[in-house]
Amino acid sequence: MDNVSESESRSHASSPRAPEQLHFTGNGAEYFGIWIVNLLLTIVTLGIYSAWAKVRRLQYFYRHTEMAGSSFDFHGSPSRILVGRVIALAMLIAYNYSVRLRSPLTIVILVAIAVVMPWLLRNSFRFRLYNTSWRGTRFHFRGTVARAYRVFLLNGFLTLITLYVMAPFMHQRLKAYQHDNSWFGRTQCSFHARAGQFYVIYLLLLVTLVVFAIVIGFSGIGGAFAALSQAQRQGGHPNPLAAFRALAILYGALILMGISIGPVFHALITNLIWNNTRVGEHRIECNMSPRVLIWITASNFVLVVLTLGLFIPWAMVRLARFQMESVRLLPAGDLQEFVAAEPETIGAVGEEAATAFDFDISL
Amino acid sequence: MFQANYFDGRSTRVRVVNLSVAGDDLIIAGEDIDFRIPFTDVMVDERLGRAPRRLRLKDGTFCEVRDLDALDTLLSSTAHRDGWVDRMQRHLQFVLFSIVACVALVVMAYKWGLPWAAAKGAHTLPPAIGRTLSVQTLKLLDGKILVPSGIPEERRQALSAKFHALRLPDGGTPHSELLFRSSPQLGANAFTLPDGTIIVLDDLLTAIGDDPQALAVFAHELGHAHGRHGLQLLLQSSAVAAFWTLYIGDISNLLAAAPAAIVQARYSQDLERQADDYGAALLMQNGMSPALLADALERLAESHSGSSKGGYLSSHPSTDDRMRRLRQLGVSFKNK
């Protein structure tokens, strides 16, 4: 009897529940209407409406993403986002002008920005997660400010002085900070990828870049630039054709890199990160195919350029569908049993400042 | 009556409920739930494509509705009205209108709004900014594109003296500095830095020949300095760069724009005309004919023909028109 019940309970524990595939149900034509009205109102209001536009955009994408028959939701308030944007804009202007006009104030402004940044980034995680919900239960970010300073300032400094040898390590630390401190209701998330796994992917990236650089070198860009600099030394005017050729190869190479190496790296690192993240005991499986991501990125790029931007809504929807549908939750138990935490209020300043300074923290 | 999922906001438990309306009330009925609330206490999510919509109650609970058509039918029997943005987003004519309006607004902003705002900005910014920018720019250009002038010291001093003796139309004397440089790349050229410093290149002086014509060119450049056109152009190009940064999402080249923008300054015809008018007024104030500037332009046009270098005039469009205007001013000046 004992044996039977034990084997029964074991089979119950080990028999995995059906994986919950994420689905994205939006479509480009539908989103186009929302996108163009957002754009028009943003222009007409000289940018003020952009905060409301952002909320509509995020709500469109969150609400069209569903898991186990329920969709996600975004709750951010536009007025808070607007305040965040104003502060971010002020910081961006201060940064630009302090870099351009080297004055005694420059160093003060740069130091001030460096000191404020970790705090802002931590707040941006908080804002984004707190305003995300599924089945009425919100996510939370509980990382401390002190740890934010260690992750961003100390590791950032180490990365710089080791000439980026520490970059994969820093990336791993950043993700650990983000995911270990994320909560869904009262359920804590955890992060299990080791720095070594980040190094493998970064090494692959490095090798590809070196090979790519060699190929570019053979493609004649070196010759084109040599001809240009020789013309300049002789005091003559550079040959416009040679200049055009050099620039065409350079930009072509950059674009090629952006739509090939970029997506491969993105897919590999995203898979690594999500495959090693758990929500309580529930595991996540992320299976983003680098090949398909290259195809989507490249075709999106071409179509957005050819349509002068009008394809952007379709491009965003295609990418979102691909990204969402490569994620599955492997439940370890009942998904009905998550419990919500106490409500909080959180401002958007950090999130907006982080976007304005172009930190890619969305992985 | 139709089905929806009810969530209590405290857990992820799904409760299937039936929704219906009776009078002014919404009725929510399911396995262990059965209540009615006035519809005025229900907040209905706006429509976003075919995304599920939520009916939010004041206590943080809500119903997630997937049957959007049934919800529309239910809503039509209540006082609920869709928001105006919602209606715009779904209206084909309005969406098409939005496309046209966006393009038109961007073009208009670029053509009129931007120069106007940049001009206002150039006159409002503290002079210290223009000075710092100019010092930086000159530092970057010197030794790279600009080399020391080969014009004899005496001629430079004579020109400087005449330049500083000019009376401005408002009665003062020029507070701009006049710097002499040479540049194989830029050829016969003269340009004004954001703080009004005028840089004149050797080839331009050689092409023009005599001093009165050189002074006429300086007068024109003083017009740019007076109108703060250099700073205006810099602001304009920064704004355009910022726009592309936002639209395309690349931040890198924003910082390198300043020196390039000043050297390659392509003033609009409007700004050239303003500088010509100022220069003409200045010349007349000093008892010289505006026709001198036209003569200088003509000499430069001759020296440029056959040369592949873009010079002074390549950044100064429609020279013929400008010479005609200046000569007319010259005739009326003589007749006075």
Side-chain angles (χ1 to χ4, degrees):
Chain A
M1 275 301 271
D2 266 343
N3 260 350
V4 173
S5 80
E6 202 187 310
S7 80
E8 221 175 26
S9 76
R10 192 189 297 133
S11 86
H12 180 76
S14 65
S15 89
R17 282 157 192 270
E20 292 292 351
Q21 166 84 49
L22 262 67
H23 291 287
F24 184 75
T25 55
N27 79 65
E30 194 180 85
Y31 181 55
F32 184 86
I34 293 164
W35 178 79
I36 194 79
V37 170
N38 271 347
L39 195 63
L40 178 66
L41 293 178
T42 299
I43 296 174
V44 168
T45 59
L46 302 174
I48 292 170
Y49 185 80
S50 70
W52 280 259
K54 177 176 178 163
V55 170
R56 282 217 159 74
R57 170 168 58 81
L58 288 177
Q59 283 180 342
Y60 183 87
F61 283 94
Y62 280 41
R63 289 180 186 172
H64 278 97
T65 302
E66 47 175 75
M67 186 180 72
S70 301
S71 72
F72 288 82
D73 198 5
F74 179 73
H75 306 267
S77 112
S79 54
R80 271 164 200 274
I81 291 178
L82 186 64
V83 172
R85 294 216 151 161
V86 170
I87 293 175
L89 187 68
M91 280 175 67
L92 197 64
I93 290 172
Y95 172 77
N96 263 313
Y97 276 86
S98 67
V99 170
R100 252 193 222 171
L101 317 170
R102 276 178 217 118
S103 71
L105 213 62
T106 301
I107 198 82
V108 177
I109 291 175
L110 290 183
V111 166
I113 288 177
V115 166
V116 176
M117 223 19 154
W119 179 77
L120 284 177
L121 286 168
R122 176 249 187 194
N123 281 10
S124 101
F125 300 156
R126 259 178 22 139
F127 182 79
R128 183 54 88 86
L129 279 190
Y130 178 68
N131 287 304
T132 302
S133 74
W134 179 73
R135 289 189 176 174
T137 298
R138 291 189 182 224
F139 289 80
H140 299 271
F141 180 74
R142 300 230 161 81
T144 61
V145 178
R147 181 93 193 273
Y149 277 97
R150 231 174 62 198
V151 167
F152 293 110
L153 280 192
L154 184 68
N155 290 350
F157 178 69
L158 284 178
T159 306
L160 280 182
I161 59 165
T162 58
L163 301 173
Y164 289 88
V165 170
M166 296 273 282
F169 174 76
M170 159 137 186
H171 198 168
Q172 191 264 349
R173 278 301 135 103
L174 169 66
K175 284 296 142 184
Y177 174 63
Q178 272 186 289
H179 289 197
D180 279 337
N181 290 300
S182 295
W183 296 67
F184 177 58
R186 289 186 198 160
T187 310
Q188 188 169 13
C189 302
S190 56
F191 187 65
H192 304 273
R194 281 165 289 108
Q197 294 171 291
F198 278 78
Y199 270 96
V200 171
I201 294 175
Y202 271 83
L203 211 62
L204 196 71
L205 173 75
L206 186 69
V207 170
T208 328
L209 283 178
V210 169
V211 171
F212 194 75
I214 293 171
V215 172
I216 298 286
F218 277 115
S219 73
I221 191 170
F225 271 111
L228 279 183
S229 65
Q230 198 188 358
Q232 198 146 32
R233 259 200 309 280
Q234 289 164 354
H237 217 56
N239 175 4
L241 207 68
F244 178 76
R245 210 171 105 85
L247 282 180
I249 296 176
L250 189 67
Y251 278 106
L254 284 178
I255 290 171
L256 202 66
M257 241 168 71
I259 60 184
S260 61
I261 300 180
V264 173
F265 178 71
H266 178 78
L268 293 179
I269 209 95
T270 308
N271 288 344
L272 172 69
I273 289 165
W274 287 107
N275 283 328
N276 287 286
T277 299
R278 290 179 207 167
V279 185
E281 290 303 308
H282 309 280
R283 286 165 173 272
I284 294 170
E285 192 180 272
C286 181
N287 207 351
M288 208 182 271
S289 149
R291 212 158 36 87
V292 179
L293 189 58
I294 288 183
W295 160 243
I296 290 178
T297 316
S299 52
N300 272 354
F301 175 80
V302 170
L303 286 167
V304 166
V305 170
L306 287 182
T307 58
L308 298 174
L310 286 183
F311 188 73
I312 289 174
W314 281 272
M316 288 168 71
V317 163
R318 278 180 82 197
L319 188 63
R321 173 169 300 121
F322 169 70
Q323 288 180 322
M324 292 312 168
E325 307 217 325
S326 49
V327 178
R328 301 199 297 173
L329 184 79
L330 309 177
D334 196 344
L335 293 183
Q336 306 237 22
E337 287 168 357
F338 292 104
V339 180
E342 300 305 311
E344 308 164 27
T345 42
I346 285 157
V349 174
E351 165 145 336
E352 291 308 318
T355 355
F357 281 82
D358 206 22
F359 279 88
D360 189 8
I361 46 171
S362 57
L363 282 180
Chain B
M1 184 162 37
F2 60 95
Q3 282 196 337
N5 288 336
Y6 175 84
F7 296 98
D8 59 13
R10 287 184 293 274
S11 79
T12 52
R13 189 174 153 206
V14 187
R15 290 176 168 98
V16 179
V17 292
N18 285 312
L19 299 182
S20 54
V21 170
D24 293 334
D25 291 354
L26 175 71
I27 300 175
I28 302 176
E31 210 180 312
D32 50 353
I33 313 160
D34 193 0
F35 63 95
R36 59 161 60 200
I37 45 162
F39 209 86
T40 43
D41 286 349
V42 178
M43 231 194 66
V44 184
D45 270 3
E46 67 162 17
R47 199 175 289 128
L48 280 170
R50 299 293 296 173
R53 292 171 78 180
R54 293 176 177 84
L55 307 182
R56 299 174 197 273
L57 314 184
K58 286 200 163 147
D59 56 359
T61 68
F62 64 93
C63 300
E64 194 172 300
V65 181
R66 268 146 210 285
D67 192 344
L68 300 183
D69 299 329
L71 178 63
D72 277 338
T73 316
L74 180 137
L75 289 177
S76 65
S77 67
T78 68
H80 174 85
R81 289 292 163 265
D82 291 333
W84 56 279
V85 175
D86 178 17
R87 274 177 279 151
M88 276 158 62
Q89 288 166 346
R90 286 181 297 131
H91 209 277
L92 181 67
Q93 277 99 322
F94 193 83
V95 166
L96 294 176
F97 164 78
S98 295
I99 300 174
V100 177
C102 281
V103 173
L105 283 169
V106 168
V107 170
M108 274 158 52
Y110 180 74
K111 234 173 126 66
W112 297 300
L114 188 59
W116 178 83
K120 277 264 177 286
H123 285 278
T124 331
L125 280 180
I129 290 189
R131 206 166 308 125
T132 324
L133 275 172
S134 302
V135 171
Q136 293 282 330
T137 305
L138 196 59
K139 225 188 268 170
L140 268 163
L141 296 178
D142 265 338
K144 294 210 180 78
I145 302 181
L146 301 181
V147 292
S149 166
I151 302 280
E153 181 69 32
E154 309 86 68
R155 169 121 200 261
R156 278 189 270 157
Q157 274 176 2
L159 270 173
S160 276
K162 284 182 183 165
F163 170 77
H164 287 290
L166 285 174
R167 305 293 294 178
L168 298 180
D170 66 10
T173 52
H175 6 257
S176 293
E177 236 186 306
L178 181 65
L179 299 177
F180 296 88
R181 293 284 189 280
S182 179
S183 168
Q185 282 102 335
L186 298 173
N189 219 328
F191 50 92
T192 307
L193 297 180
D195 69 341
T197 301
I198 295 169
I199 296 181
V200 54
L201 302 181
D202 288 2
D203 289 0
L204 181 123
L205 293 175
T206 324
I208 287 177
D210 69 351
D211 285 4
Q213 285 183 17
L215 282 174
V217 170
F218 300 160
H220 170 87
E221 289 300 323
L222 279 171
H224 284 313
H226 175 78
R228 303 206 184 171
H229 295 166
L231 200 52
Q232 178 183 338
L233 218 66
L234 189 61
L235 289 177
Q236 249 167 267
S237 64
S238 310
V240 171
F243 171 79
W244 283 115
T245 304
L246 287 177
Y247 193 65
I248 295 189
D250 174 34
I251 205 150
S252 49
N253 278 328
L254 210 58
L255 311 174
I262 291 166
V263 176
Q264 298 164 355
R266 286 187 78 90
Y267 295 122
S268 68
Q269 304 217 21
D270 195 34
L271 293 189
E272 290 302 346
R273 210 169 300 125
Q274 282 179 32
D276 279 346
D277 288 348
Y278 185 92
L282 195 157
L283 288 169
M284 291 192 276
Q285 170 90 4
N286 292 278
M288 297 157 82
S289 166
L292 281 168
L293 183 52
D295 296 343
L297 292 177
E298 197 168 18
R299 291 288 286 270
L300 284 168
E302 280 163 17
S303 84
H304 285 316
S305 64
S307 148
S308 68
K309 281 179 203 167
Y312 193 64
L313 297 178
S314 71
S315 58
H316 294 63
S318 72
T319 317
D320 286 345
D321 279 0
R322 292 174 54 203
M323 292 198 293
R324 207 172 304 123
R325 275 186 77 234
L326 290 164
R327 294 226 157 94
Q328 274 164 11
L329 285 170
V331 171
S332 56
F333 172 72
K334 236 185 248 163
N335 294 344
K336 252 185 217 170

